[in-house]
Amino acid sequence: MKGIGLAAALVLAGVASAQSVTVTPDNAAKLRQVGAEVLFWSQAQRDQNFREMEKIFPGHVVKAGGKVRPLPAGKPLPIAEADVKAAMADLNVAGLIVVQDGKVRLERYGLGYGPEGRWTSFSVAKSFTSTLVGAAIRDGYIKSIDDPVTRYIPDLAGGGYDGVTVRQLLTMTSGVKWNEDYTDPKSDVARMFSDDVPAGQDPTVWYMKRLPRESAPGTKWVYKTGETNLIGVLVERATKKTLADYLTEKVWKPWGMERDAFWMTNAAGSEVSGCCLSVSLRDYARMGLFALSGGKGVVPDDWFAHATTNQVPLPKDEGGFGYGYQWWTVPGGRFAAIGIFGQSIMVDPAKKLVVVMSGSWPAATGEKLSVARAAFWGKVEAAADK
């Protein structure tokens, strides 16, 4: 699947390289270069740093509450241990958890990761960000996803986003031209935060406003991490709250997340909403359960029914996958949040099943790796019927 997690070159550029470092005009270019190098870390660096992003980059804390939603042990999943070990090795898995009917049926860790730690999400964060749009609609901060984006981000006016709706941002069908090629240093995903930004301008808005229109809004799907970053700007401006604070308020505390999460910030001090949320394995599973529950009382009653079903026609080379509101739809009535280097939350509503995998793949994406993950999902689902 092309574009399943794009993250680093786009979203990490412009952030500080250590906790004590502050972005200044003098060091900004160097820090952007350090951020972009995430895509090119060695395997040893990935294995180490994906569980310690808060030690490398600045960010905001998503705070857990005092009451934790329990995840009791369930009947052990009747899956061959050899299959589990093979998947852990072949997919370089750091964390694997299978929850069915709210109970843990399988849980494994590797690569120095454990229940007390956090692992980066890459584009899994997109599904968290879209959920905040639903919350903002229910809270009255956003009137409708059919509102024009420029109602909430007026400084986008006069560019390719004129006439584009919030819905079209959520479904990545704005019609604005975008290049998401990780290997091309001149692509939008590589340049978005590398260009100098005039003083007082939001870096995401400033870059996205300059992009040309290539098709009518709503007619063509193109995966654009930059548009998820715009969604973050939209939510932040509509609610007048940081994304971390709003996620704390709407999901983390009321849903009973167990541990604080960490959301990386860009040079402007805003969360990188298309990426870069670090969460514990069990709390990723709780997010899957939140989506499975429909998010009653947090998002509109029909939000997840729409967010997790295919909203747009995708190219044939996407392997039968579809796209909702920043969630991938998976053949067989399933849906998933997916990020590069092996991050995923897969939900099967019919089986009341959530499967989370945190990993450190040897490549950001790859057909063989994706096929191997899907095959393991299949083994888990077959075992879940027993």
Side-chain angles (χ1 to χ4, degrees):
M1 295 173 60
K2 181 181 178 182
I4 249 180
L6 294 302
L10 162 65
V11 293
L12 298 184
V15 296
S17 62
Q19 286 180 304
S20 60
V21 174
T22 300
V23 180
T24 68
D26 293 333
N27 68 7
K30 181 179 179 180
L31 295 177
R32 285 197 295 268
Q33 181 180 356
V34 171
E37 288 174 354
V38 171
L39 276 177
F40 308 104
W41 278 343
S42 68
Q43 188 64 56
Q45 287 175 310
R46 287 193 292 271
D47 292 353
Q48 176 74 26
N49 295 341
F50 283 2
R51 57 185 163 88
E52 296 183 342
M53 299 298 260
E54 62 266 38
K55 294 182 179 180
I56 305 170
F57 299 102
H60 293 154
V61 175
V62 183
K63 299 177 182 178
K67 187 176 181 180
V68 175
R69 180 172 296 271
L71 286 178
K75 181 181 177 181
L77 193 72
I79 186 172
E81 185 63 24
D83 287 342
V84 175
K85 289 182 177 179
M88 294 281 289
D90 295 345
L91 296 170
N92 208 33
V93 174
L96 164 66
I97 189 167
V98 177
V99 178
Q100 189 173 30
D101 291 316
K103 297 179 181 179
V104 178
R105 301 197 64 187
L106 177 69
E107 187 172 9
R108 296 283 191 278
Y109 292 91
L111 307 182
Y113 184 40
E116 303 302 311
R118 287 181 286 265
W119 195 269
T120 191
S121 62
F122 289 106
S123 285
V124 165
K126 289 178 168 66
S127 303
F128 289 69
T129 297
S130 80
T131 300
L132 293 183
V133 175
I137 289 172
R138 190 179 187 279
D139 287 346
Y141 295 117
I142 298 172
K143 183 179 178 181
S144 168
I145 61 172
D146 293 315
D147 285 345
V149 173
T150 51
R151 174 174 294 178
Y152 303 96
I153 313 177
D155 35 339
L156 270 181
Y161 285 93
D162 283 344
V164 172
T165 66
V166 177
R167 181 191 301 274
Q168 289 157 352
L169 274 192
L170 288 168
T171 58
M172 296 191 182
T173 57
S174 67
V176 171
K177 189 174 182 180
W178 178 266
N179 181 351
E180 186 94 10
D181 186 349
Y182 313 132
T183 65
D184 180 0
K186 296 182 179 180
S187 69
D188 296 299
V189 75
R191 291 179 50 211
M192 182 175 177
F193 287 125
S194 65
D195 291 359
D196 291 334
V197 180
Q201 295 288 321
D202 179 274
T204 298
V205 176
W206 183 80
Y207 188 89
M208 302 300 283
K209 180 179 178 178
R210 295 181 297 152
L211 298 175
R213 169 99 34 98
E214 68 171 351
S215 60
T219 62
K220 183 180 179 180
W221 179 85
V222 176
Y223 192 92
K224 307 181 186 82
T225 294
E227 294 198 335
T228 314
N229 289 346
L230 273 183
I231 293 169
V233 173
L234 189 153
V235 171
E236 186 177 43
R237 292 191 181 184
T239 63
K240 296 180 172 55
K241 300 175 183 180
T242 68
L243 299 187
D245 284 349
Y246 200 43
L247 188 59
T248 296
E249 173 191 337
K250 305 310 299 184
V251 178
W252 237 247
K253 287 187 175 180
W255 193 248
M257 300 303 196
E258 186 173 7
R259 296 184 57 75
D260 290 351
F262 169 81
W263 206 333
M264 290 169 55
T265 51
N266 62 23
S270 295
E271 292 86 353
V272 181
S273 49
C275 168
C276 311
L277 182 62
S278 291
V279 178
S280 71
L281 185 69
R282 285 188 161 221
D283 284 343
Y284 280 128
R286 289 184 177 94
M287 185 61 185
L289 292 172
F290 178 78
L292 185 59
S293 78
K296 185 177 181 180
V298 176
V299 297
D301 291 344
D302 60 352
W303 178 261
F304 278 107
H306 295 296
T308 61
T309 54
N310 189 34
Q311 298 291 323
V312 296
L314 264 62
K316 292 181 179 179
D317 62 1
E318 291 299 334
F321 281 64
Y323 206 69
Y325 301 159
Q326 308 281 300
W327 290 86
W328 291 91
T329 64
V330 183
R334 300 167 292 168
F335 61 89
I338 300 178
I340 54 173
F341 293 110
Q343 325 314 320
S344 62
I345 304 172
M346 191 277 287
V347 181
D348 186 332
K351 298 184 190 316
K352 299 180 180 179
L353 182 73
V354 176
V355 181
V356 179
M357 300 179 78
S358 296
S360 180
W361 283 4
T365 62
E367 184 177 356
K368 289 184 178 180
L369 291 164
S370 296
V371 168
R373 175 173 57 194
F376 183 70
W377 284 350
K379 291 179 180 180
V380 168
E381 296 211 84
D385 287 332
K386 299 175 183 178

